[in-house]
């Protein structure tokens, strides 16, 4: 029997279980292995965190992006002390009565007619003529039967411009049957062109202008003519009392719902998609319907359009889903109140649901106005568009999904009123991001938020002078490449306190 208490046994047992003294090489190897394992665990966990941060379910409540201070989202850009300035210069002389008359048939939608009428006020001044209150377009896509006084405050229009141009409601009876010079004044014309047109007064007492849009160049006009255009558009062409009254009520109701709101001009309408030939995201049946519409619309000159090239070039309206991705990337929370300033959205609720998955708080005028209030506007697209215009002008942020007539005119008006925040999407740049999202090269979240915010840092309505023509373009085509005067009336109608006294 073994004596377990003996010293010999204890020594033998200890020698079996106590570790031998480790060599320096073994200790070094052990430390290196432990360090490598720790690095592996750190990198593995970091990758999981980053992937989790970039995962973005469609519903915007789970959209992970950097928190943006509210003032950056909503406040107007710094205006550098610039103010509206439309006062005539000291050399400007008041208008006198004239027995020469200009009649006008305005063309296009609401804002195309508004800017065209402002041009014709300036043309009448240059040609020293009496302007007859213009007739409005009743043959455009909307087929609106509204008269001038249905949309605008006619008496205010006449009275507010009486020092600039004599305006009458209709031709004198004795001139109704006289021969008229019917003219399509050349687009983008300057003062010299209209000085030449005065030769017509030698043979005619009445000139009839068949179209009013884009009759004047954007630049190189006398300061007083440019300021007259601003007085006409921003002050004289006030909407009729019923439109002004309801427009203000709707703005107040929006304020009570959410305080701040974005006015989104979602130009995803049938006529615009057909005109631009943009079919991205549409079904084959929808694409064919738009092609037929383009083919059968006589005054649309371009019939064959490559939809893919249009989109890559940034010439297509953003889709509702793309607008949702864009606004979330800018940092707007899903609770943001968004007013849709637009007509009927092509595809209806199917397309709108893609936007509402990001921003559920979407609202239309039909939801904040009663049926009785909107009854008078039924079938009058231009009057309904005037309500959208008022709400867009008064919004905290205006975002157009396409740079059409309303988008440009609203942007210019908001600049004139103090450079209110207007975010103009870089559609060409955004398409590259959207395509990478679709192919999985990018995921919604912080990764695209920084890209989108950087891309639009200087596209939020801050003061800048109007852009001139593109380089290398000569002749009359150069005027078409200039930035519209009504999109940015700076510097003629926006200036410092020193400029106001010119």
């Amino acid at each position: 029997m073994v004596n377990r208490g003996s010293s010999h046994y204890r020594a033998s047992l200890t020698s079996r279980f106590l570790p031998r003294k480790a060599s320096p090489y073994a200790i070094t190897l052990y430390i290196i292995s432990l360090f490598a394992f720790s690095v592996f665990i750190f990198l593995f966990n970091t990758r999981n965190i980053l992937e989790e941060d970039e995962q973005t379910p469609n519903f915007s409540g789970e959209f992970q992006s950097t928190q943006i201070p509210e003032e950056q989202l909503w406040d107007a850009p710094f205006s550098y002390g610039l103010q509206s300035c439309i006062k005539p210069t000291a050399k400007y002389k008041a208008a006198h009565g004239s027995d020469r008359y200009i009649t006008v048939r305005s063309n296009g939608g609401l804002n195309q007619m508004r800017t065209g009428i402002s041009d014709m006020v300036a043309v009448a001044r240059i040609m020293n003529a009496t302007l007859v209150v213009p007739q409005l377009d009743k043959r455009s896509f909307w087929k609106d039967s509204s008269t001038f006084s249905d949309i605008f405050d006619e008496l205010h229009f006449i009275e507010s411009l009486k020092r600039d141009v004599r305006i009458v409601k209709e031709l004198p009876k004795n001139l109704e049957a006289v021969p008229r010079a019917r003219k399509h004044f050349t687009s983008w014309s300057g003062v010299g062109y209209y000085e030449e047109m005065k030769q017509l007064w030698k043979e005619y007492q009445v000139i009839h202008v068949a179209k009013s849009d884009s009759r004047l160049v954007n630049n190189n006009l006398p300061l007083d003519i440019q300021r007259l255009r601003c007085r006409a558009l921003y002050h004289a062409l006030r909407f009729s009392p019923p439109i002004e009254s309801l427009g203000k009520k709707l703005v107040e109701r929006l304020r009570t719902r959410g305080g701040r709101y974005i006015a989104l001009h979602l130009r995803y309408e049938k006529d615009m998609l057909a005109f631009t030939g943009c079919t991205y995201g549409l079904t084959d049946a929808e694409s064919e319907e738009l092609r037929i519409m383009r083919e059968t619309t006589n005054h649309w000159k371009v019939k064959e359009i490559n939809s893919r090239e249009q989109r890559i070039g940034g010439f297509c309206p953003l889709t509702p889903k793309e607008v949702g991705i864009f606004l979330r990337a800018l940092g707007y929370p899903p609770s943001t109140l968004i007013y849709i300033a637009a007509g009927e959205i092509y595809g209806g609720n199917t397309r709108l649901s893609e936007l509402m998955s990001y921003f559920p708080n979407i609202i239309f005028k039909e939801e904040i106005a009663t049926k009785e209030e909107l009854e008078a506007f039924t079938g009058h697209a231009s009057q309904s568009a005037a309500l959208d215009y008022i709400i867009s002008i008064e919004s905290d942020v205006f975002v157009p999904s396409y740079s059409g007539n309303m988008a440009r005119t609203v942007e210019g008006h908001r600049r004139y009123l103090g450079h209110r925040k207007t975010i103009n999407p870089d559609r060409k740049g955004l398409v590259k991001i959207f395509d990478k999202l679709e192919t999985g090269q990018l995921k919604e979240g912080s990764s695209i938020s920084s890209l989108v915010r950087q891309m639009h840092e200087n596209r939020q309505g801050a003061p800048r002078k109007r852009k001139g023509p593109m380089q290398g373009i000569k002749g009359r085509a150069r005027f078409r490449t200039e930035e519209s005067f009504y999109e940015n009336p700076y510097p003629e109608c926006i200036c410092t306190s020193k400029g106001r006294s010119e």
Side-chain angles (χ1 to χ4, degrees), residues 246-254 365 368-369 387 391:
L246 181 56
K248 290 176 181 177
K249 287 180 182 178
L250 298 186
V251 171
E252 291 172 1
R253 291 170 192 173
L254 280 168
K365 68 171 72 66
I368 50 175
L387 293 175
I391 295 171

Side-chain angles (χ1 to χ4, degrees), residues 115 188 214 217-219 229 405 408-409 412 466-467 479-490:
T115 55
W188 317 110
S214 305
V217 294
N218 296 297
N219 301 316
R229 296 169 85 182
N405 290 311
R408 290 192 293 267
T409 310
R466 189 168 58 258
K467 296 175 183 176
F479 298 119
R480 297 180 183 274
T481 69
E482 294 177 338
E483 185 177 17
S484 166
F485 172 77
Y486 296 114
E487 183 178 358
N488 184 10
Y490 178 43

Side-chain angles (χ1 to χ4, degrees), residues 145-159:
S145 61
S146 300
T147 64
F148 188 94
S149 59
D150 290 329
I151 300 178
F152 305 109
D153 188 332
E154 189 173 72
L155 289 177
H156 175 77
F157 177 68
I158 294 171
E159 282 295 312

Side-chain angles (χ1 to χ4, degrees), residues 262-430:
I262 293 175
L264 171 62
H265 185 45
L266 188 59
R267 199 68 169 94
Y268 204 76
E269 298 152 323
K270 185 177 181 179
D271 67 307
M272 179 52 65
L273 294 176
F275 176 74
T276 57
C278 296
T279 60
Y280 172 78
L282 301 182
T283 64
D284 291 341
E286 289 171 331
S287 300
E288 179 63 12
E289 181 183 30
L290 297 182
R291 186 194 67 78
I292 293 172
M293 182 179 182
R294 188 167 64 252
E295 282 285 340
T296 55
T297 304
N298 293 330
H299 60 277
W300 290 353
K301 297 180 181 179
V302 181
K303 304 300 181 182
E304 296 293 331
I305 300 177
N306 186 311
S307 179
R308 176 174 171 76
E309 290 180 359
Q310 283 286 93
R311 184 169 180 270
I312 292 175
F315 303 121
C316 289
L318 298 181
T319 69
K321 180 180 180 180
E322 289 171 344
V323 171
I325 296 172
F326 171 61
L327 292 177
R328 285 298 292 123
L330 287 176
Y332 289 96
S335 59
T336 302
L337 179 63
I338 299 180
Y339 175 82
I340 303 294
E344 183 177 354
I345 304 303
Y346 193 56
N349 291 333
T350 301
R351 297 273 148 59
L352 278 174
S353 64
E354 297 175 340
L355 171 59
M356 294 182 71
S357 67
Y358 292 91
F359 294 94
N361 208 5
I362 299 292
I363 196 164
F364 291 82
K365 68 171 72 66
E366 291 78 10
E367 299 172 65
I368 50 175
T370 66
K371 290 184 178 179
E372 293 75 19
E373 287 173 328
L374 292 178
E375 188 175 1
F377 299 89
T378 303
H380 299 289
S382 292
Q383 295 184 49
S384 182
L387 293 175
D388 285 339
Y389 188 91
I390 292 171
I391 295 171
S392 297
I393 289 296
E394 296 300 325
S395 66
D396 298 278
V397 178
F398 176 67
V399 179
S401 67
Y402 183 75
S403 58
N405 290 311
M406 178 168 172
R408 290 192 293 267
T409 310
V410 169
E411 179 177 352
H413 199 160
R414 289 171 67 85
R415 287 180 178 277
Y416 176 78
L417 292 173
H419 292 91
R420 297 176 179 179
K421 195 180 191 78
T422 301
I423 305 176
N424 187 6
D426 179 356
R427 296 187 303 279
K428 186 174 181 179
L430 286 171

